[in-house]
Amino acid sequence: MKKVLVFAGMILFGCSNDLEERNTLASFVFGKEVVLDNVIACAASNENDNLVSVFLYPREGATNIRYYEANNGNSDKNDFDGYSLVEAPLLDVFNGFLKKFEVAITTEKWVIVSFEEDGKVHVSNPIRIKDQSKPTEYLSTNVAITSNTTTPVFRWEDGLYDDTKIYFQVVTDADNNLISGTYTFDRTFQFYELDNVVLNITPGIPSGLNSNERYGFTLLAVSEDNWVNLFSALDFSPD
């Protein structure tokens, strides 16, 4: 009887280990074609609660979107064995053009998001969560808009942190649908001029904005490790 119990215990222990293994990013991508650094993603601490928003751009056709956290704050960011799958709500941003996971994180650590597309697993750059050491700053007074034209110019200043590497700017309509989404290294963007745009996720080619209609402008200032230093959002009208 003892032998039977020991054997059953070994089976249960083995099953438990197998389940744990399958929940790592390394086990998920094992035997699959992986495309590294091919999911646009970043993270920000929220303004009004203790959660962290992990944003991503799910290209058309993306499926099985997943969120992984490093097992501790000192893990090697490039070691997929050190990342475990975390179940978290996946919410729409800009009416679904972007997505975000809302997560509660008690220790600053690396996180990764992934999705499947065209039979491959696409993985983001590691994102460093810094909600305690560098909480995201929320401002709107740092943005100036020259709006006497249907192609307004947006200019902005950095906030508390000086390690921003890239700026993501979004123009939305009155219903919060994304009109344009662009990245620049500069602290200025003119709608819809692409001279200083280094990455463009705009769907199609938008027409000029209409005078007297209301629009939204959202700015994310992102550090090299994909943490959002600054989040700005304001309404405007190009009258």
Side-chain angles (χ1 to χ4, degrees):
M1 187 64 161
K2 282 186 177 179
K3 290 182 179 179
V4 172
L5 290 174
V6 169
F7 182 66
M10 290 175 64
I11 292 175
L12 289 173
F13 180 75
C15 289
S16 175
N17 276 354
D18 286 344
L19 287 172
E20 188 174 314
E21 281 293 314
R22 285 201 292 272
N23 281 333
T24 67
L25 180 54
S27 61
F28 176 64
V29 302
F30 180 77
K32 301 174 182 176
E33 186 172 352
V34 178
V35 185
L36 298 175
D37 309 333
N38 199 34
V39 177
I40 299 172
C42 62
S45 54
N46 290 352
E47 184 177 21
N48 299 316
D49 59 38
N50 294 322
L51 299 178
V52 170
S53 292
V54 181
F55 299 96
L56 71 141
Y57 168 50
R59 295 186 296 270
E60 186 176 353
T63 61
N64 197 16
I65 301 172
R66 291 175 164 231
Y67 166 71
Y68 291 87
E69 287 184 7
N71 295 329
N72 61 69
N74 298 317
S75 298
D76 179 353
K77 67 177 182 179
N78 296 313
D79 180 12
F80 286 3
D81 275 315
Y83 287 88
S84 296
L85 177 68
V86 175
E87 299 291 344
L90 184 61
L91 307 175
D92 287 345
V93 181
F94 304 127
N95 294 324
F97 189 84
L98 301 183
K99 300 282 187 181
K100 68 174 178 178
F101 289 100
E102 290 281 270
V103 293
I105 299 179
T106 57
T107 302
E108 294 192 346
K109 59 181 66 175
W110 294 100
V111 304
I112 283 176
V113 294
S114 70
F115 56 64
E116 295 184 71
E117 180 186 37
D118 297 330
K120 304 173 185 177
V121 178
H122 298 259
V123 180
S124 73
N125 279 310
I127 304 164
R128 184 64 180 183
I129 302 301
K130 296 186 285 189
D131 59 317
Q132 298 169 36
S133 60
K134 295 181 70 175
T136 302
E137 184 181 12
Y138 284 80
L139 286 176
S140 59
T141 56
N142 63 314
V143 179
I145 304 175
T146 304
S147 59
N148 58 352
T149 172
T150 58
T151 57
V153 177
F154 306 90
R155 293 186 177 86
W156 55 87
E157 298 295 332
D158 285 327
L160 293 172
Y161 310 121
D162 60 2
D163 62 335
T164 293
K165 294 298 182 183
I166 198 166
Y167 302 91
F168 177 44
Q169 51 276 165
V170 172
V171 176
T172 52
D173 64 19
D175 296 319
N176 205 35
N177 297 306
L178 185 141
I179 298 174
S180 74
T182 50
Y183 287 80
T184 69
F185 293 134
D186 303 325
R187 291 195 297 270
T188 184
F189 168 69
Q190 182 174 8
F191 184 91
Y192 174 71
E193 300 291 334
L194 303 181
D195 293 346
N196 66 338
V197 169
V198 295
L199 180 61
N200 186 8
I201 61 170
T202 303
I205 301 176
S207 58
L209 305 182
N210 296 320
S211 298
N212 301 318
E213 289 192 15
R214 299 300 295 174
Y215 296 92
F217 178 75
T218 303
L219 172 74
L220 278 67
V222 185
S223 65
E224 189 170 11
D225 50 12
N226 301 300
W227 179 250
V228 177
N229 286 330
L230 173 68
F231 192 110
S232 300
L234 64 159
D235 294 331
F236 70 97
S237 180
D239 45 30

